[in-house]
Amino acid sequence: MLSLKHHVAKSRALVSPLLLLNNNIKTIYIFSHSSYSTVVGASAKDVVLSFKEWFGLKPRSSAVLDRVFQILSTHDDEDSASRFAADQALSELGIRLTESFALQVLNYGKKTKDVLSCLKFFDWAGRQPHFHHTRATFHAIFKLLHCAKLTPLMVDFLENYKKDRYYHQVRFNDTLVMGYALAGKPDIALHLFGKMRFQGMDLDDYAYHVLLNALVEQGCFDAVAVVSKQISMRGFENDVTRTIMLKCLCKQKKIDEAVEYFQQLVSGRECVSGFMIGIVVDALCKNSRFEQAGKLLEDFKDRDDVVKLEKAYDVWLRNLVRAGRLDLALEFLKSKNSLEGYVPEVFRFNFLVSRLLKENRLMEVFDLFMDMKEGQISPDGVTMNTVLCFFCKAGMVDVAIELYKSRSEFGLSPNGIVYNYLINSLCGDGSTDEAYEVLKNSIDQGLFPGKKTLSILADALCRDGKFEQMKDLVIFALERNIMLRDVTYDKFISALCKANKVEVGYLIHSELSRMNKVASENTYIQLIHGFNKSNRADIAARLLVEMEENGHKPTRALHRAVIRCLCNMETPAKQFLQLLNMQLSHQETNFQIYNFFIDGAGHVKRPDLARAVYELMQRSGLVPQLGSNILMLQSYLKSGRISDALTFFNHLRLKEKNGIPRKLYNTLIVGLCKAMKANLAWGFMREMRHNGMYPSMECYEELIKLLCSTKNYDMVVGVMNHLEGHGRQVTSFIGNTLLLHALKTRDLYEAWIRLRGMLVNEQSKISLLGQLIGVFSGCIKVSQDIEGLQKMIEQCFPLDTYTYNILLRRLSVSEIDHACELFNRMRRKGYEPDQWTFDILKCGLYNCLRTDEAERRLEEMF
């Protein structure tokens, strides 16, 4: 006993501090924290040893019972040799077979839910020469089958009742009536009872009460009244009768009548048992009358004439837990234990612990475990499973896994919940290999983790790149029609595509499709990009069509990517048009699909294919709209077919009664700029203005960028005058482009002065911009600080990160300290530095031999 208390105290000392850290946090893996590595390295082993000792604590008789069930569970009834070997093994145990021992075996089997072994034992015991089954053993086997919901088996058992000689050693008809009553066949039981009475036979008091109780359980209340009257007439009425009749009132929801009947029994000085009180307490609690039930218990706690009050305590405790009144349940348990020595049976503890664990009340769970251990309450399989779940929830997965690995030492059979907890916890701890091994063990035991657990493990395997294990897991789930979360399949297929295993991803996708599982849009996108990357445009095209058939909407960019890949194949025109026809056959004719293909052809510089689609659209009866005309024009421009672009534009000019739309002009001008045709672009801009339209700012930006890149600064100034003349604002892009070229050469500023004259009006934005160009080209010396220069720029155009980069580039040449100050100010204002920002600063610092600071900036960048 001293040793036991020592281990309990040690367990509390080891685990409690860790739980205090984790009490209000869900699944924090304490053992991964470096500050606890030393402590836990020593204590986890001690915690495991302490709980192993408790798990090994069993009643003396359990060793014999374990051996009996081990023998019974290993032989096959269909094999006569195996059955004979089991008979021999049981006989060699030297068991003294009595009614008491038989009931003990059957009760043990009921607790472990091993019904088949109980039936084998019942059969073996009945065939032993000096043992005959009694009413009690029959009642026990019937109750066992009834609780296991094996009514058909029970009925078969009764139908074969006459075939075995040993059954006739008990009252034959009594056994039949009891059996059918317990099997949920009250009509047959009553028929047999009536037949007995007609033949002048009768039930004994035991069978009468079994029948009466079964009739109450089945709700046959009219028959209950008749049978209870028969019991009373024969003088069989006793405490059991009154208890059953009390239950009958409660079953009929006549709670007040039941309470009144109970009080009559008490006032009549009848013997009151804990079973009776428990029935009333249970009925009151089920009707939410907890205060009345609690008061009833208190009224009887000090009476000497109450037998087995603990049974009523059990009922009260169960109802408190079931109603979620856990604090009251804990307080009641602690109070009754200290004052009256009340200790519930292990399954009551299990029920309370499970509810506390569900609500993450880990400290209370641990205290209950310690109380059970200190009270030498032998844990059953449920308790041991709950302990493993507890350690997983407490973040002590290494303790849980060590106990799991030692399961054979104390006969632990993990249930599905334990496997779920272990796998989830190991995945969260990064131990995916170990989690996968636990999964395989659970499958070997015939237990399949839930969908959520499988998805968590799949995500973890996918995250760690364990594709073979992940593939096996997915196939295993599919073979058993277990569907993981959509996001899990999505992640897996995406990971396979990124790892250049797109064929495996497609195999999984095909299996899912075969089971009518529609893949997500992202899954299709990843597969299509994967096959594009591996130059399998035929499969990519097939997936694009399938994607649309399944209700997804492929984007223009996705069509563009597939078309690009198709055009790298042999006979690209044939492949391209084949995909277009497939798309058109699966949907109503509309502009969008044609536009997608015109756009795709333009991006791969195949204006001939784009034109073929454009003409096909017209033949189908659709009149090309503005969007289609813009895409067709772009396809010519991107391919460098400028003359065809101008011919197409002029053709549209002739067709359009209201003139060319502004967007079409803008498309042409931007395309001409990108094709390095500045004079043509400038001509169309002036034509637009002549026609009363304003070119878009993109037109101005692209033209100025082109002119600056070709150093045609005179024309740049002309475009800026045009911009100013029409009241347009200078954008950040235009301002940055001009300042960047001013840093490179003075030619821009000289052209500016030559064509615009002296800067008379210094307040206008264009005049200020001219001054800035002079400052950045070094032609104008200014005394303003950096902040003043920033404000001057802000008056001309909005600053952005690119503007700051230009400023940094100017300062880093000769004023590196000011450059660093500007960098800090830039970040304070919320501008995010880019690669160019760090490159400018790094080069400036290296040039000034400030190597350490340059390295620090480099580290900051990465």
Side-chain angles (χ1 to χ4, degrees), residues 574-591:
K574 180 182 176 182
Q575 300 286 347
F576 175 87
L577 293 173
Q578 186 177 343
L579 176 60
L580 173 62
N581 289 326
M582 287 175 66
Q583 289 278 69
L584 291 172
S585 67
H586 285 90
Q587 55 184 295
E588 294 181 5
T589 303
N590 60 66
F591 285 106

Side-chain angles (χ1 to χ4, degrees), residues 16 20-21 36 88 156 199 202 240 325 329 345 366 372 400 403 448 483 507 534 560 599 643 685 687 744 780 801:
S16 294
L20 285 170
L21 289 171
Y36 288 93
Q88 285 292 104
D156 290 342
Q199 294 173 353
D202 203 354
V240 175
R325 303 188 177 200
E345 292 184 66
F366 180 68
M372 292 172 73
L403 290 172
F448 305 116
M483 301 307 298
L507 174 67
S534 58
R560 195 182 289 170
D599 173 75
S643 61
M685 285 181 72
E687 182 182 313
K744 297 176 180 178
I780 299 176
T801 300

Side-chain angles (χ1 to χ4, degrees), residues 145 257 279 302 359 440 449 477 500 642 706 735 760 777 850:
L145 293 169
E257 288 184 39
I279 289 169
D302 297 323
E359 296 191 9
K440 290 200 295 186
N500 297 321
I642 305 303
L706 171 61
V760 179
S777 61
R850 290 161 65 168

